[in-house]
Amino acid sequence: MKTLKAISVLMDYPSEAAQAHADSLIALFQADESLTPETRQGLTALVRRLRDSDLLDLQADYSALFDRSRALSLYLFEHLHGESRDRGQAMVELINFYQEEGLVIDSRELPDYVPLFLEFCSRLDRPAALSWLMEAHYLLQKLHGRLQERECDYQWLFKALLDTAGLETADEQMQRQLQQEERDDTAEALDRVWAEEPVTFGPTAGGCGAPKTNQGQAVPVNWANLSRNSA
């Protein structure tokens, strides 16, 4: 699915290659009838901005947006598992799915990185790709809603994913929840994180270093179980 590949490119760290192919990306989106006219218009404006802006400025803005905020993290399992031990096994299983489709990932990137996940989905037939997007629908709605609250044009990438899968945006309950959320990327919020974050050493540390749960069982890759209290 070419649209998923295009969204993957645009959602990744800004690059000269993406800028160079801006017109082709716009043409692709305009031809995709699964996208609403509003989404096509929003994507076109986003691509033109990325094409016409200074690359270093784009990269700085991208890092400030996605790297400073856990609420906007582009790592799927950070929203689902946080720093729990379950995240490691979920990543192992996701890598196995990638390998079955011939997708070999760079060792420097984690498998739950959304652009990489979309690259994987783009290699699947349409029903399989849509099934994966629907598994992640609640998280896609939240990320779209949070970007919309910040009036950020990256929102249109997530709106396009929802359109492609035939999914709705956040309902009224989720919208109220998102409106009430406290920003976690302000200077004050970041200071609190540094002050409160425990420092853990050794094999019990969280993250992806521990490949199994306490019971040694595999953790299914299933975002449908994402609770409404998750990040």
Side-chain angles (χ1 to χ4, degrees), residues 33-48:
E33 295 183 355
S34 69
L35 306 177
T36 67
E38 181 188 29
T39 300
R40 291 198 293 269
Q41 182 179 356
L43 288 170
T44 297
L46 168 64
V47 175
R48 286 174 176 166

Side-chain angles (χ1 to χ4, degrees), residues 15-192:
S15 66
E16 291 181 354
Q19 289 181 317
H21 291 89
D23 293 340
S24 297
L25 293 170
I26 291 173
L28 174 64
F29 291 137
Q30 290 297 329
D32 190 339
E33 295 183 355
S34 69
L35 306 177
T36 67
E38 181 188 29
T39 300
R40 291 198 293 269
Q41 182 179 356
L43 288 170
T44 297
L46 168 64
V47 175
R48 286 174 176 166
R49 180 181 71 81
L50 297 178
R51 178 194 64 192
D52 298 337
S53 299
D54 179 79
L55 182 59
L56 292 178
D57 290 340
L58 290 173
Q59 291 170 342
D61 291 343
Y62 179 95
S63 295
L65 180 66
F66 292 115
D67 295 343
R68 294 178 59 182
S69 171
R70 286 185 173 180
L72 293 178
S73 173
L74 292 181
Y75 292 91
L76 292 166
F77 294 147
E78 181 161 338
H79 297 275
L80 180 56
H81 297 301
E83 295 302 319
S84 76
R85 295 170 62 88
D86 292 349
R87 186 177 181 184
Q89 182 62 28
M91 288 187 182
V92 170
E93 294 194 349
L94 191 55
I95 289 174
N96 290 337
F97 283 116
Y98 290 172
Q99 291 176 341
E100 290 176 5
E101 292 299 321
L103 179 61
V104 179
I105 67 174
D106 191 310
S107 61
R108 294 172 297 179
E109 192 53 82
L110 296 176
D112 61 335
Y113 182 49
V114 176
L116 183 58
F117 169 71
L118 295 176
E119 166 70 20
F120 160 68
C121 290
S122 73
R123 295 170 176 240
L124 305 174
D125 60 37
R126 185 175 183 84
L130 297 187
S131 177
W132 278 94
L133 291 179
M134 286 187 282
E135 286 286 339
H137 76 278
Y138 189 70
L139 178 55
L140 298 179
Q141 288 173 333
K142 273 200 164 184
L143 289 170
H144 169 259
R146 284 168 175 157
L147 290 166
Q148 188 178 48
E149 281 292 312
R150 301 184 190 199
E151 299 182 346
C152 174
D153 54 4
Y154 275 104
Q155 67 176 281
W156 297 110
L157 298 178
F158 290 94
K159 178 61 163 56
L161 294 176
L162 295 171
D163 285 358
T164 299
L167 299 169
E168 299 294 329
T169 56
D171 59 21
E172 291 185 6
Q173 180 180 351
M174 184 186 290
Q175 288 175 348
R176 289 195 298 271
Q177 176 186 338
L178 296 177
Q179 290 168 358
Q180 294 168 2
E181 283 183 345
E182 182 181 355
R183 291 275 295 260
D184 66 352
D185 59 345
T186 63
E188 294 79 7
L190 292 170
D191 285 343
R192 286 198 300 272

